[in-house]
Amino acid sequence: MPSADLLIHNIGQLVTCRSTDGRAKHGASMLDASIIGNGAVAIADGKISAVGTLDEVEAEYSSTEKIDAGGKAVTPGFVDPHTHIVYSGDRLGEFELKIRGAEYLEILAAGGGIISTVTNTRAASLHELVDGALKRLDKMLACGTTTAEIKTGYGLDPETELKMLRVIERLDQEHAIDIVPTFLAAHTVPPEFKGNTDGYVDLICGEMLKAAWEWYEASHFLANGTPFFCDVFTEKNAFDRTQTERILGTAKDLGFRIKAHVDQFTNLTGSQLAIETGAVSIDHLDAISDDEIKLLAKSDTIGVVIPTENFSAGKTQFAPARKLIDTGCAVAISTDYNPGSAPCPSQQMAIAIATRYQKLLPSEALNAVTVNAAFAIGLGSSHGSIEVGKQADLLILDCEDYRQIAYEFGGNLVASVIKRGQIVYGSR
Ligand code: NIG
Ligand code: FE
């Protein structure tokens, strides 16, 4: 009998989030979390080699190394498909302005918001940025995230955007969390281009995207087969439809895969444009139209909703995630962890909000932070679910029923995090 490196047994509820057709889960299939009772998982070389009931797995593999899950629930490690965790400084003053009634776009137009983080990030050393982001990754890992996308976008000049990319590569080398890089030079217009957005778009489409792609080609990400994304913030006071089209078109021609921040506040038809450009994900979607929802449902693009952003702004309106799923879209959830609109490391918190305000059921929310989130960053065939051949990224929860992670909030129900078959957080 072949031997495994590790056997996890006595899993009361093994929640695999397995996709039955090799695609992200669309529409009603998001209700199915693919649960096995009294389950076990065998792991060899950091990958899952068997999944099933204890009898089934023990018939296939033996292992001297065992973890007793104590009858608790086990889920895939969470995937966070949209974060901005490389930055310096904080936005505590802005938080108070918002409590007093200031709007996010108003603060941005007045030269605050993202721009204040850009000023601090330009001044920070690579080492300082790595240090700050490693601490944020530690918090994410403790909350159950085992894979995350990270964006640039607080540099907004060729030099600092590249510095951010180097930081992201360092994070991937130093931290247990697997990272997917995204180039977001088009996050907003930097002060030196104020009133000349097209001039900045020229710089992005000329020098910046090319330099970013050269960095990727020399990085370990390309060697690993990790994709590289280009993203744009399509919004008032940021980039309009025409500018978005130029940036995404240039990026696609260079080889980038595509994401877009669209419909966060204003519908500039960015969703339609991004879906037609073949975007892997479109993110935010608060102001998406019914026609765009139908277009999304027919596509392979994942709709990423960000309930932490609305919650953080004290809003009671959220992206229409219920309607997206009911129309047949594949929905993922992210924290958007960033210093301005969503200072939140926890996908558990995002699930708690999505279930209450966006009316997702716990199974839909779990699929949205695992298998669908992996598809949203181009890793759907290797990450995001407990399936033979996939990376062994699992959470042992401190509860018998996984629905508890939606029901309880403000704490942490992750007892142990297993990454590539090794315990990287918590106890045995
Ligand atoms: O996804 N919308 C733009 N970007 C981020 C916010 C970044 C920031 O405020 O620093 C977002 O919400
Ligand atoms: Fe964002």
Side-chain angles (χ1 to χ4, degrees), residues 82 84 151 261 284 336:
H82 179 144
H84 309 248
K151 301 174 196 295
H261 281 70
H284 283 289
D336 198 3

Side-chain angles (χ1 to χ4, degrees), residues 388-419:
V388 171
K390 281 200 173 182
Q391 200 161 287
D393 299 349
L394 299 92
L395 309 179
I396 303 177
L397 301 182
D398 189 16
C399 53
E400 276 101 51
D401 188 322
Y402 81 93
R403 291 177 299 178
Q404 191 92 8
I405 56 176
Y407 171 71
E408 221 177 279
F409 61 94
N412 185 8
L413 282 169
V414 172
S416 318
V417 179
I418 295 165
K419 179 70 184 172

Side-chain angles (χ1 to χ4, degrees), residues 3-7 61-67 428:
S3 80
D5 300 332
L6 177 67
L7 182 81
Y61 285 91
S62 66
S63 173
T64 47
E65 189 67 21
K66 288 186 181 164
I67 293 179
R428 293 188 65 94

Side-chain angles (χ1 to χ4, degrees), residues 36 38 98-99 131-132 256 287 296 355-356 360 373 397 428:
I36 299 168
N38 190 23
K98 286 195 271 194
I99 293 172
D131 232 42
F256 284 88
L296 181 63
T355 47
R356 285 164 180 80
L360 265 59
L397 301 182
R428 293 188 65 94

Side-chain angles (χ1 to χ4, degrees), residues 114-415:
I114 297 172
I115 296 298
S116 74
T117 303
V118 169
T119 307
N120 290 319
T121 305
R122 285 179 177 179
S125 70
L126 185 129
H127 178 76
E128 284 161 355
L129 292 172
V130 169
D131 232 42
L134 282 173
K135 294 197 176 87
R136 291 172 202 121
L137 285 170
D138 283 344
K139 293 186 207 178
M140 293 165 68
L141 185 75
C143 294
T145 294
T146 51
T147 302
E149 180 257 21
I150 305 178
K151 301 174 196 295
T152 69
Y154 293 125
L156 311 185
D157 62 29
E159 185 194 327
T160 318
E161 285 294 307
L162 269 180
K163 178 172 74 180
M164 291 190 73
L165 289 172
R166 289 191 199 105
V167 171
I168 292 171
E169 186 173 18
R170 190 76 83 72
L171 296 173
D172 193 39
Q173 287 159 339
E174 290 190 16
H175 203 278
I177 293 181
D178 279 334
I179 288 162
V180 171
T182 293
F183 191 64
L184 178 60
H187 197 184
T188 192
V189 183
E192 55 278 20
F193 282 93
K194 198 169 175 91
N196 180 19
T197 305
D198 282 324
Y200 184 50
V201 174
D202 288 342
L203 180 67
I204 294 173
C205 292
E207 177 186 337
M208 291 176 86
L209 281 169
K210 279 194 205 92
W213 190 258
E214 277 167 24
W215 163 84
Y216 174 63
E217 286 185 321
S219 76
H220 76 264
F221 288 112
L222 178 72
N224 287 344
T226 304
F228 187 29
F229 286 89
C230 176
D231 193 348
V232 178
F233 184 25
T234 308
E235 184 55 65
K236 262 193 253 167
N237 296 325
F239 302 91
D240 65 20
R241 183 190 161 101
T242 311
Q243 291 155 345
T244 302
E245 195 166 8
R246 263 190 78 199
I247 295 163
L248 295 185
T250 309
K252 200 177 169 183
D253 288 346
L254 282 164
F256 284 88
R257 302 189 74 190
I258 301 302
K259 287 181 168 289
H261 281 70
V262 283
D263 298 324
Q264 183 172 355
F265 304 99
T266 320
N267 187 321
L268 301 179
T269 67
S271 286
Q272 180 226 339
L273 171 69
I275 297 164
E276 285 171 0
T277 309
V280 175
S281 80
I282 54 174
D283 301 36
H284 283 289
L285 314 182
D286 295 58
I288 192 170
S289 70
D290 287 350
D291 283 344
E292 289 169 308
I293 294 176
K294 287 185 200 136
L295 194 64
L296 181 63
K298 278 189 259 148
S299 74
D300 277 321
T301 304
I302 312 294
V304 177
V305 297
I306 304 177
T308 44
E309 187 270 337
N310 307 66
F311 174 82
S312 188
K315 291 189 248 183
T316 50
Q317 293 295 311
F318 288 78
R322 183 71 268 148
K323 194 192 265 185
L324 290 170
I325 296 174
D326 291 342
T327 309
C329 301
V331 169
I333 293 174
S334 82
T335 62
D336 198 3
Y337 194 4
N338 76 74
S341 70
C344 175
S346 173
Q347 282 284 48
Q348 294 176 68
M349 184 68 196
I351 290 172
I353 305 168
T355 47
R356 285 164 180 80
Y357 290 95
Q358 292 175 304
K359 306 301 173 197
L360 265 59
L361 284 155
S363 56
E364 294 173 317
L366 188 70
N367 281 316
V369 299
T370 56
V371 63
N372 280 7
F375 276 99
I377 54 174
L379 297 184
S381 57
S382 54
H383 292 65
S385 60
I386 303 177
E387 289 180 64
V388 171
K390 281 200 173 182
Q391 200 161 287
D393 299 349
L394 299 92
L395 309 179
I396 303 177
L397 301 182
D398 189 16
C399 53
E400 276 101 51
D401 188 322
Y402 81 93
R403 291 177 299 178
Q404 191 92 8
I405 56 176
Y407 171 71
E408 221 177 279
F409 61 94
N412 185 8
L413 282 169
V414 172

Side-chain angles (χ1 to χ4, degrees), residues 4-51:
D5 300 332
L6 177 67
L7 182 81
I8 307 172
H9 65 102
N10 196 14
I11 302 172
Q13 196 185 47
L14 175 55
V15 191
T16 68
C17 297
R18 182 175 71 91
S19 147
T20 46
D21 57 4
R23 288 176 79 215
K25 296 193 184 196
H26 287 68
S29 66
M30 285 187 70
L31 272 173
D32 182 9
S34 302
I35 297 173
I36 299 168
N38 190 23
V41 179
I43 295 166
D45 295 328
K47 295 211 167 126
I48 296 166
S49 41
V51 182

